[in-house]
């Protein structure tokens, strides 16, 4: 049980609020008279009463400010409304014996709850779990669920970290989703944001002054305080939050967003403390903690670090450049040196301390000592699609042979593969940036979104930038919802059948190898657009020869059993036509 927020046990409700800058706090329960809460010297306000689950409540601070519980378990009327008292013990788990799956079995599927199903809610995801299980997915990763303002949002504007987004259903609906996924043999991972609060609805910073600190600056303003005065309570707030999701909702792991923006100069970094507490509290379960880290710091990753894996942007960028030939922004470095892709496949990071021109500074640390499963590889995800001006999928940017070749690389590589929703049937539905903020913020968000693209050549003209979708209107969200009727069309059905076949090969031939692929297992050789990567798997060698160009390439012989091929290739190597590859296993 977390120390933050309201809890219910054996007919008694306990309310706890940390508001160190306030002299008085009153509990306002709908239908009841205000109750003055007891204040301790450290700024904690508490009250215990016979109040039943379902009651709605707020706090009145110093007789002026009515605020929701910063650790609210549910916000039925969104972030500005009252909180609801929740009893998690009322849900009857159907798969209570589930203990998870080992990480090397992971095939991850990232989805946005509001856009994934026709219903756009937790129950809608449940209806599609059989589709995912038949596809060959073993884990679903939900984009953030911390309650955000409005009806739709990517989730990274959350302001109430303990409250599952009310637009998607009630907390027990989310528990039912996790429970049903476990019944299908699927792990469920949750994306959490511990680097900032959204721009609307963060009441807590007004009465908890040490929640943020001016010591560090982030892209969102003042940083969450992990190392300044008063940081101990802040650290506990977010560590308790991680445990809350893992214990009360039985998630199988968390993906921590943009940890390079979690600034902590203390002697014990917040990320290390969080991982240690999770390991202690969740012993006996397969729990997987993942990172997104722009700094590419290998020290945090397993087997020597506390985190299971990191999203590997280097593999994405290398594959994206190969199939689109785009060369703007950070893609320029990968376009200038295509050998960064085979290095990322073989060793993890494409830059391991060398200067990256786009950054104008060294990037990354040595990573070849890590097993491939310390990296999550993908061809598409919410960022890489949604941060484009129009949110186009690769199906709108690249030809089918190129997409098949790139997909066959990351889906069979010994790194952990991650699909983005709809990718498996080649959807053309875009995934655009959308949010539903208050009227006084919409213009700034709209203008800021379009200004982000002003430095791109095709958007130098302000009139052209005006065509970039407005993230604050309903139509932008609606355009991003998956169209499941596409599956009735032959071209999309063929894509789905292809994904099912290749993921079956991964399950049968690649996954059993992964426990035997350790550090320093990968080696690579490359020309400009073609390469060979080999991984030692005990007494076996897994090999990939790939030609990611439309021109013919010639490879040396690759002995061993053929696992998969794309395009036209000669047996055991030789001539490879454009967009061709071979996966082999030498016994």
């Amino acid at each position: 049980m977390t120390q933050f927020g309201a809890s219910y046990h054996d007919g008694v409700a306990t309310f706890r609020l940390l508001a160190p800058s306030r002299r008085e706090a009153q509990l306002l329960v709908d239908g009841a008279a205000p109750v003055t809460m007891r204040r301790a010297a450290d700024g904690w306000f508490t009250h215990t009463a016979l109040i039943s689950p379902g009651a709605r409540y707020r706090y009145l601070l110093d007789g002026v400010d009515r605020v929701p519980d910063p650790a609210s378990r549910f916000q039925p009327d969104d972030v500005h409304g009252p909180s609801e008292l929740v009893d998690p013990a009322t849900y009857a788990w159907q798969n209570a014996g589930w203990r998870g799956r080992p990480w090397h079995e992971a095939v991850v599927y990232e989805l946005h709850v509001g856009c994934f199903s026709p219903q756009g809610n937790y129950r809608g995801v449940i209806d599609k779990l059989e589709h995912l299980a038949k596809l060959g997915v073993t884990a679903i990763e939900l984009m953030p669920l911390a309650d955000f303002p409005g009806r739709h949002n990517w989730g990274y504007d959350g302001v109430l970290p303990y409250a599952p987004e009310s637009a998607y259903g009630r907390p027990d609906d989310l528990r039912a989703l996790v429970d049903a996924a476990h019944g299908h043999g699927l792990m469920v991972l949750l994306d959490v944001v511990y680097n900032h609060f959204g721009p609307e609805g963060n009441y807590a910073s007004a009465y908890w002054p040490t929640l943020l600190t001016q010591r560090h600056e982030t892209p969102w303003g003042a940083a969450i305080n992990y190392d300044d005065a008063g940081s101990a309570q802040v650290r506990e707030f977010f560590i308790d939050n991680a445990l809350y999701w893992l214990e009360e909702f039985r998630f199988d792991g968390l993906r921590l967003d943009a940890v390079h923006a979690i600034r902590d100069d203390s002697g014990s970094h917040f990320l290390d403390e969080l991982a240690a507490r999770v390991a202690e509290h969740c012993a006996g379960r397969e729990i997987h903690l993942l990172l997104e880290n722009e700094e590419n710091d290998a020290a945090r990753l397993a087997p020597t670090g506390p985190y299971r894996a990191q999203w590997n942007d280097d593999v994405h960028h290398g594959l994206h450049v190969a199939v689109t030939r785009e060369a703007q922004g950070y893609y320029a470095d990968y376009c200038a040196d295509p050998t960064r892709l085979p290095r990322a496949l073989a060793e993890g990071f494409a830059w391991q301390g060398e200067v990256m021109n786009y950054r104008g500074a060294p990037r990354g640390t040595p990573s070849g000592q890590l097993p491939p499963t310390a990296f999550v590889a993908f061809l598409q995800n919410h960022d890489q699609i949604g941060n484009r001006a129009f949110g186009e999928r690769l199906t709108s940017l690249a030809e089918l042979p190129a997409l098949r070749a790139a997909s066959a690389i990351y889906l069979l590589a010994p790194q952990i593969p991650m699909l983005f929703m709809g990718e498996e049937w080649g959807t053309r539905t875009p995934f655009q940036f959308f949010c539903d903020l208050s009227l006084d913020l919409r213009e700034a968000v709209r203008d800021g979104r379009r200004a982000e693209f002003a430095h791109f050549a095709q958007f130098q003209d302000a009139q052209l930038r005006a065509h970039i979708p407005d993230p604050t209107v309903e139509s932008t969200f609606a355009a991003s919802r998956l169209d499941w009727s596409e599956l009735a069309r032959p071209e999309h059905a063929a894509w789905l059948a292809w994904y099912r076949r290749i993921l079956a090969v991964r399950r049968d031939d690649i996954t059993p190898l992964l426990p035997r692929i350790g550090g320093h297992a990968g080696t690579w050789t490359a020309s400009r657009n073609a390469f060979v990567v080999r991984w030692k798997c005990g007494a076996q060698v897994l090999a990939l020869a790939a030609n990611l160009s439309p021109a013919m390439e010639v490879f040396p012989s690759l002995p061993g059993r053929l696992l998969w091929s794309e395009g036209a290739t000669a047996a055991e190597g030789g001539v490879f036509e454009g967009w061709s590859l071979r996966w082999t296993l030498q016994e």
Side-chain angles (χ1 to χ4, degrees):
M1 179 187 299
T2 173
Q3 64 177 299
F4 293 88
S7 61
Y8 179 84
H9 185 67
D10 289 341
V12 177
T14 301
F15 298 85
R16 288 175 55 83
L17 171 70
L18 182 62
S21 69
R22 300 306 177 97
R23 298 184 305 276
E24 181 181 79
Q26 289 182 304
L27 174 65
L28 307 180
V29 177
D30 286 359
V35 177
T36 298
M37 303 175 72
R38 182 187 309 163
R39 190 187 195 283
D42 56 3
W44 278 103
F45 292 86
T46 59
H47 180 71
T48 300
L50 299 177
I51 297 174
S52 299
R56 299 187 180 188
Y57 68 96
R58 304 188 205 212
Y59 297 115
L60 177 62
L61 304 180
D62 290 341
V64 177
D65 299 317
R66 294 171 181 258
V67 299
D69 189 339
S72 168
R73 285 358 185 223
F74 188 51
Q75 291 292 120
D77 298 323
D78 208 5
V79 300
H80 301 297
S83 305
E84 181 177 313
L85 181 64
V86 172
D87 179 10
T90 59
Y91 182 80
W93 290 89
Q94 302 301 302
N95 296 282
W98 172 269
R99 290 295 178 266
R101 299 182 65 156
W103 179 241
H104 74 273
E105 295 180 358
V107 175
V108 184
Y109 187 99
E110 186 193 18
L111 66 87
H112 180 279
V113 172
C115 293
F116 175 65
S117 71
Q119 301 96 313
N121 56 26
Y122 302 125
R123 295 286 174 176
V125 179
I126 293 175
D127 291 346
K128 299 299 183 183
L129 291 177
E130 185 175 357
H131 164 85
L132 297 178
K134 288 182 176 178
L135 172 62
V137 164
T138 63
I140 59 175
E141 181 175 324
L142 307 180
M143 290 175 64
L145 301 179
D147 211 328
F148 51 75
R151 297 162 296 170
H152 44 261
N153 193 290
W154 273 18
Y156 299 91
D157 287 332
V159 290
L160 293 169
Y162 290 76
E165 173 52 44
S166 58
Y168 303 150
R170 294 188 58 81
D172 277 357
D173 294 324
L174 177 57
R175 291 185 178 91
L177 165 55
V178 176
D179 199 7
H182 292 167
H184 283 276
L186 301 173
M187 298 181 280
V188 189
L189 312 174
L190 177 64
D191 200 343
V192 293
V193 182
Y194 296 156
N195 52 53
H196 77 288
F197 290 93
E200 178 185 345
N202 175 21
Y203 292 93
S205 59
Y207 55 81
W208 186 0
T210 57
L211 181 61
L212 304 177
T213 175
Q214 299 295 330
R215 172 181 285 187
H216 305 292
E217 187 73 14
T218 75
W220 308 279
I224 292 177
N225 176 22
Y226 293 114
D227 64 357
D228 206 349
S231 62
Q233 293 168 323
V234 180
R235 293 164 73 103
E236 197 66 26
F237 181 79
F238 287 103
I239 289 172
D240 270 13
N241 181 255
L243 297 174
Y244 161 77
W245 291 118
L246 296 171
E247 294 177 342
E248 290 197 16
F249 290 87
R250 305 194 183 185
F251 280 97
D252 298 280
L254 305 172
R255 179 263 193 186
L256 277 66
D257 175 69
V259 299
H260 50 273
I262 294 177
R263 308 296 298 278
D264 182 359
D265 294 334
S266 68
S268 175
H269 199 284
F270 168 76
L271 292 174
D272 298 327
E273 184 180 354
L274 183 150
R277 291 276 295 280
V278 167
E280 175 188 351
H281 281 262
C282 299
R285 293 172 57 192
E286 291 276 2
I287 297 295
H288 311 298
L289 298 180
L290 316 179
L291 299 176
E292 179 196 23
N293 187 0
E294 177 66 24
E295 300 304 320
N296 284 358
D297 182 4
R300 297 207 182 278
L301 302 176
T304 55
Y307 286 84
R308 191 78 75 194
Q310 176 182 315
W311 278 21
N312 194 348
D313 283 342
D314 286 336
V315 168
H316 168 270
H317 297 346
L319 290 172
H320 183 95
V321 163
V323 301
T324 67
R325 296 300 189 244
E326 291 185 349
Q328 295 206 59
Y330 47 68
Y331 288 139
D333 286 302
Y334 299 84
C335 195
D337 184 3
T339 66
R340 298 291 176 178
L341 172 58
R343 188 187 195 193
L345 288 167
E347 303 177 15
F349 296 144
W351 277 264
Q352 300 180 28
E354 306 90 352
V355 172
M356 185 179 183
N357 290 334
Y358 175 75
R359 292 165 61 98
R363 185 184 186 208
T365 61
S367 56
Q369 75 280 7
L370 299 176
T373 52
F375 304 93
V376 177
F378 44 88
L379 185 57
Q380 302 183 71
N381 69 16
H382 75 272
D383 269 332
Q384 303 304 335
I385 301 170
N387 285 334
R388 300 179 65 84
F390 296 99
E392 309 102 313
R393 302 276 189 144
L394 277 178
T395 44
S396 301
L397 302 172
E399 297 298 323
L400 177 61
L403 278 181
R404 285 276 171 88
S407 299
I409 289 174
Y410 97 89
L411 290 172
L412 294 183
Q415 297 185 17
I416 299 299
M418 184 179 74
L419 296 71
F420 186 65
M421 60 179 191
E423 176 187 335
E424 72 273 23
W425 72 76
T427 184
R428 290 184 176 272
T429 301
F431 187 72
Q432 298 172 344
F433 176 65
F434 51 81
C435 57
D436 182 21
L437 301 174
S438 59
L439 290 175
D440 59 333
L441 288 173
R442 290 181 185 178
E443 183 177 357
V445 170
R446 181 188 311 116
D447 293 347
R449 170 69 173 173
R450 291 170 177 169
E452 289 178 12
F453 296 94
H455 63 283
F456 288 92
Q458 65 267 44
F459 295 114
Q460 293 293 308
D461 189 315
Q463 290 184 335
L464 293 177
R465 292 198 299 277
H467 292 288
I468 295 173
D470 180 351
T472 69
V473 299
E474 179 77 21
S475 58
T476 302
F477 166 68
S480 302
R481 302 185 69 175
L482 284 183
D483 179 6
W484 286 83
S485 70
E486 288 180 326
L487 281 170
R489 302 174 198 168
E491 62 182 290
H492 296 295
W495 260 115
L496 179 59
W498 185 90
Y499 266 80
R500 286 176 173 171
R501 289 196 305 272
I502 197 168
L503 288 178
V505 171
R506 181 178 185 87
R507 178 196 65 216
D508 295 340
D509 294 307
I510 303 299
T511 300
L513 300 173
L514 299 184
R516 304 201 300 273
I517 306 180
H520 300 295
T523 59
W524 58 277
T525 58
S527 60
R528 179 157 182 82
N529 294 301
F531 55 84
V532 175
V533 184
R534 294 179 175 88
W535 295 267
K536 293 182 294 184
C537 319
Q540 299 172 302
V541 176
L542 176 68
L544 164 67
N547 175 17
L548 292 184
S549 76
M552 182 186 71
E553 291 284 344
V554 178
F555 286 89
S557 175
L558 289 179
R561 177 166 63 95
L562 178 64
L563 302 180
W564 189 272
S565 67
E566 284 293 328
T569 69
E572 297 187 0
V575 176
F576 280 55
E577 298 297 335
W579 307 113
S580 297
L581 61 85
R582 288 171 64 89
W583 280 100
T584 59
L585 181 63
Q586 184 178 356
E587 303 294 343

